[in-house]
Every structure is written in structure tokens, then in C-alpha cells.
Amino acid sequence: MTGLKKLRIVLLGSVLAVAIAGCSSKTPEEESYDLLEELASIEQGYEEQHEPLQKLEAEDNEIYAQIIELGMKEMDEIKTLSDEAITGIEEREELMKKEKESINESRERFGDFDGLIEELSDKKAQTEAAELQKIMKQRYDDYDQLYDLYLASLAEEKKLYELFKDEKATKDQFETQIESVNKTYTELSEANAQFNEQTEKYNNKKISFYNLAGIEVDSEQP
């Protein structure tokens, strides 16, 4: 529902922009600045999911540690803890979906940057803007991979907790599933590092573009 409201706001803003286009006195440089800063505002929805996600991840680690400490003799308690963990996994899935909504909205809005690049008066600023665009598009692709791997890791975690609830599960089954979980964790960690690196590149390139385009910004702005 939140994502739908945001989409309506963006659409309304687009209609208003068309209506007053003839009255706008902003330069392409100023419009570029407004657009890029709007993306930062849109992605606040992405940022807002981090804290609850981290909290749920910490709770999952605690539950897993409790299950390992119990061993397989306290099956009733293990089943209860496993159900709690699965509920937490499902909550994380929903948070990730909300996070992706913000990224998708940002990606759609960023499409307007294409037309602005050609209108920039300074050639060096145009080149810098084109490089900024390339970095941002790669960042969106990196996020897609990160999102898919995160959901894949949650699926593997869920399988492990379902296994904990199975009194007939064998040692080999546990070892195989734990190996699968660890594999997805490794891939997820690498994808997360790649996304963070691309985000840092984007932030640095954005400031460089602002400087070449003659846009004054707060020196503390990312």
C-alpha cells in the first residue's frame, strides 16, 4: 500500500510538471540536481528497511544458537524456536519487497536523466553525467542480484529450520543443508559488497558532476 501511494505521488508530480513546463525557468543543470536529489528521497524507503532487517537477523542468530545448544533431545522447544525463526524469515521477505519497491521507483524516475544529459551546456559535464548514468544503472543491476540472493538465502534458512522440526532428519541432511545456507551467505556477502561499492562510486561521481555543472552543494552532502 505504501508503494502504491508513492507511485501516485510521483505520477501526480509528473502531471504537474507537464502543466507548468512552459513556465519553468530552471536550467538543465538545475533540473538534473532536482532529479538526482529526488532519487535520494525516494530511496529513503530502502534505507528505512535496514534497521528492522538487522534486528530480525540478530534475533535469527539468537534462535539458531539456542537450537544448537539444545541438541535434538528437546524437540518440542526446538520446534517452537524453529517456527519463530520461520516467522522472522517471512517478515524479512516482506521488508525486502518494500525495499525493492523503493529501488524500482528510483530506477523508473532515473530514466528521465537521459533527456537532461543532452541538454547540459558544458561538454565535460555531459561526459560526467553519462558516466554517472552508467554507474547508477549498474548499481540497479547489482541490487537486483543482491535482492535475488537475499531471498534465496532466506529460502535456504527456512529449509534448515524445517529440517530442525523433522525428528527423522539425518546428520547428512543437516550437513548438506548447512552447506547450502553457507554457500548462499557467501554469495550474498559478495553481492552486498559489490552494491555498496557501486553506491559509493555513484555518490562520488554525483558530486563530481555537480562541480562540473556549476551546481553548488553542501560540502557534507554524500
Side-chain angles (χ1 to χ4, degrees), residues 83-205:
D83 285 336
E84 288 179 16
I86 290 171
T87 297
I89 288 171
E90 291 170 349
E91 289 176 4
R92 279 191 278 164
E93 287 175 344
E94 290 305 309
L95 288 171
M96 283 299 294
K97 289 176 182 177
K98 290 180 181 178
E99 182 180 281
K100 195 173 193 303
E101 285 177 3
S102 295
I103 294 294
N104 286 346
E105 187 178 344
S106 171
R107 189 200 317 253
E108 183 176 354
R109 186 71 181 91
F110 188 65
D112 291 344
F113 195 55
D114 286 349
L116 291 172
I117 294 176
E118 299 175 359
E119 297 177 8
L120 296 171
S121 57
D122 186 90
K123 293 298 182 183
K124 289 183 179 179
Q126 281 187 348
T127 300
E128 200 74 355
E131 291 178 6
L132 177 67
Q133 181 187 47
K134 182 179 179 180
I135 291 171
M136 190 57 151
K137 287 183 176 180
Q138 181 60 54
R139 177 177 176 270
Y140 289 134
D141 289 343
D142 289 343
Y143 178 80
D144 288 342
Q145 182 180 21
L146 175 63
Y147 175 80
D148 289 343
L149 285 171
Y150 195 97
L151 292 190
S153 72
L154 292 181
E156 293 302 327
E157 281 186 53
K158 190 180 289 187
K159 289 178 184 177
L160 178 60
Y161 286 115
E162 292 290 357
L163 205 57
F164 277 129
K165 293 162 61 178
D166 184 358
E167 297 182 33
K168 297 181 180 180
T170 66
K171 180 181 177 182
D172 286 344
Q173 285 178 301
F174 277 112
E175 288 179 350
T176 298
Q177 189 54 37
I178 289 172
E179 184 179 341
S180 295
V181 170
N182 289 337
K183 182 176 182 292
T184 58
Y185 278 170
T186 299
E187 293 173 345
L188 180 60
S189 178
E190 292 172 354
N192 188 58
Q194 174 64 25
F195 176 73
N196 288 339
E197 180 183 345
Q198 208 66 18
T199 299
E200 184 176 358
K201 284 182 180 179
Y202 167 77
N203 287 331
N204 291 335
K205 183 63 70 173

Side-chain angles (χ1 to χ4, degrees), residues 15-26 31:
V15 171
L16 289 176
V18 171
I20 64 173
C23 303
S24 176
S25 59
K26 288 189 176 181
E31 290 182 5

Side-chain angles (χ1 to χ4, degrees), residues 27-43:
T27 66
E29 287 77 9
E30 290 169 334
E31 290 182 5
S32 295
Y33 172 81
D34 289 346
L35 173 59
L36 296 179
E37 293 311 304
E38 182 185 342
L39 297 183
S41 178
I42 289 172
E43 289 196 17

